[in-house]
Amino acid sequence: MSGRDPGLQPERTLLSWQRTVIVLVAVALLYVRDPFQDGGEPGPGALVRVAVALVPIGAAAAAMVHVRRRWRATGHGAHDDATGQAPAPLARGWVRVLVGAATAVFAVAVAVSALTG
């Protein structure tokens, strides 16, 4: 049996990005769902919740598009798209910053809305 398979680590990274995107979207949708649970008419706060939930959903969509494009451009993580050498990280730095910032903004908005009722 030969050494390590160079395709496994990038595939695990792709799967972890997919799980991150799924969790971001699921939590945002649960946050939006809360005002509709009582069965009555949602108030103006529901529109604010939808606007706040668009932050992580937008970041998740941008991350997924970027990661999938890089995954395909690097031959499913087998080589770097520019040099043909070992693959660079699957997500560029700006994607990691975007997802982190969107998560932080969303967390602050959820905390504020929980404190204000």
Side-chain angles (χ1 to χ4, degrees):
M1 187 170 210
S2 65
R4 64 172 242 175
D5 183 357
L8 290 179
Q9 195 280 327
E11 186 173 354
R12 286 192 305 268
T13 303
L14 175 69
L15 292 172
S16 69
W17 274 104
Q18 288 173 341
R19 286 189 302 269
T20 300
V21 165
I22 289 168
V23 167
L24 275 173
V25 171
V27 170
L29 291 176
L30 287 172
Y31 177 70
V32 170
R33 177 180 169 219
D34 189 44
F36 298 98
Q37 287 297 97
D38 298 333
E41 269 308 300
L47 239 82
V48 172
R49 282 180 177 251
V50 169
V52 167
L54 288 177
V55 172
I57 290 174
M64 199 65 242
V65 167
H66 171 73
V67 168
R68 293 297 287 181
R69 281 187 173 174
R70 293 253 314 146
W71 172 253
R72 289 185 179 136
T74 61
H76 300 293
H79 61 81
D80 189 314
D81 50 349
T83 64
Q85 300 298 320
L90 195 54
R92 299 268 188 218
W94 67 266
V95 174
R96 295 187 296 259
V97 169
L98 175 71
V99 169
T103 303
V105 167
F106 184 63
V108 168
V110 169
V112 167
S113 70
L115 291 174
T116 60

